[in-house]
Amino acid sequence: NTAVDGKMPKLTPERLASATTRKNADNDGNDQTTTAPSSFEYHEVDTDKFASFCTKQRSILENSKKQSKEASAQALDRELENALSDAKSRISNFANWYFAYKTTYTLLGVAFTSAAKHALTFKSEQTLSEAITRDIQCHIQRKYEALVLRPAITNPKIQRALVRSFKIAHGNYLDAISELDASVASFIQQEGRKKQYDKNNSL
């Protein structure tokens, strides 16, 4: 049987034994053949019960994924709030600069410099006006970064916030996998029937 139309192939002891036969290359480049033991113990479970168990575990994993996403998002919001709290307090510094009487002449100087720089490269007045506006906006943006954002200080804080959020998500993922592993072990212990496969006796 093959995995067609959502159906999994039947895993028999013979297939399990043959699947463990493989070739490995050693350091000298020679092939070494590793074969499965002639006999081993395995657990047999009811197909319907196992299918029901898998469906339940998928639902649990989806719920864990949703909770982990929400937890990491909330943690990131808190961390970013702390990282940007100082920047918020510096907005008033930018406002004081922007609305200062001296700033008006500063921006006029930027405009005149931009006009002189672009006057020979643009043929239309509208295009020249757009270039001047763009240069003024860039000047204001640089001032905002210098007074409010301060990338040298703020960027490391943002990076630490992202790392902490990732660690929370990764920790939740490991917990979910650990719980899944424990659930599988418990299911096998309760529902599994021990069988002994002997290659020689199966012939």
Side-chain angles (χ1 to χ4, degrees):
N1 296 332
T2 58
V4 179
D5 298 332
K7 296 181 179 180
M8 294 299 294
K10 184 177 181 181
L11 182 61
T12 63
E14 291 78 5
R15 284 185 174 181
L16 183 61
S18 62
T20 58
T21 301
R22 62 188 183 277
K23 287 187 176 182
N24 294 321
D26 60 9
N27 294 333
D28 297 330
N30 298 322
D31 286 341
Q32 292 182 338
T33 301
T34 303
T35 57
S38 59
S39 64
F40 56 86
E41 185 179 86
Y42 66 97
H43 288 77
E44 187 177 81
V45 297
D46 181 78
T47 303
D48 293 336
K49 289 184 177 180
F50 183 68
S52 177
F53 170 79
C54 290
T55 300
K56 180 180 178 180
Q57 292 305 311
R58 279 195 294 269
S59 177
I60 292 175
L61 287 176
E62 284 296 324
N63 188 50
S64 297
K65 177 182 176 182
K66 180 180 179 181
Q67 292 179 352
S68 177
K69 184 177 180 180
E70 292 176 351
S72 59
Q74 291 174 0
L76 181 59
D77 286 342
R78 291 193 301 269
E79 294 289 345
L80 289 178
E81 181 71 22
N82 293 332
L84 299 175
S85 60
D86 292 340
K88 290 181 178 180
S89 66
R90 293 192 294 267
I91 291 179
S92 59
N93 297 335
F94 174 77
N96 292 335
W97 169 84
Y98 186 78
F99 293 107
Y101 184 75
K102 181 181 177 181
T103 303
T104 302
Y105 291 97
T106 300
L107 296 180
L108 282 174
V110 173
F112 287 135
T113 301
S114 177
K117 181 175 64 175
H118 298 297
L120 299 178
T121 57
F122 292 107
K123 296 181 179 180
S124 68
E125 181 178 345
Q126 181 179 3
T127 306
L128 178 60
S129 175
E130 291 174 353
I132 295 173
T133 300
R134 198 161 47 242
D135 287 345
I136 293 175
Q137 289 175 344
C138 289
H139 180 83
I140 294 174
Q141 181 179 348
R142 287 194 298 269
K143 201 67 178 180
Y144 181 83
E145 290 178 352
L147 293 176
V148 180
L149 295 182
R150 295 185 182 178
I153 299 175
T154 306
N155 287 354
K157 292 182 179 180
I158 295 176
Q159 184 178 8
R160 286 194 293 269
L162 292 172
V163 170
R164 291 191 185 104
S165 176
F166 172 77
K167 287 183 176 180
I168 291 175
H170 185 62
N172 291 337
Y173 168 78
L174 293 179
D175 290 341
I177 295 300
S178 178
E179 291 177 3
L180 175 62
D181 185 63
S183 297
V184 172
S186 177
F187 176 80
I188 295 298
Q189 184 178 12
Q190 295 177 10
E191 303 293 341
R193 298 181 297 275
K194 290 185 178 180
K195 299 285 185 177
Q196 187 71 30
Y197 173 74
D198 193 321
K199 181 178 181 181
N200 296 325
N201 294 337
S202 67
L203 298 176

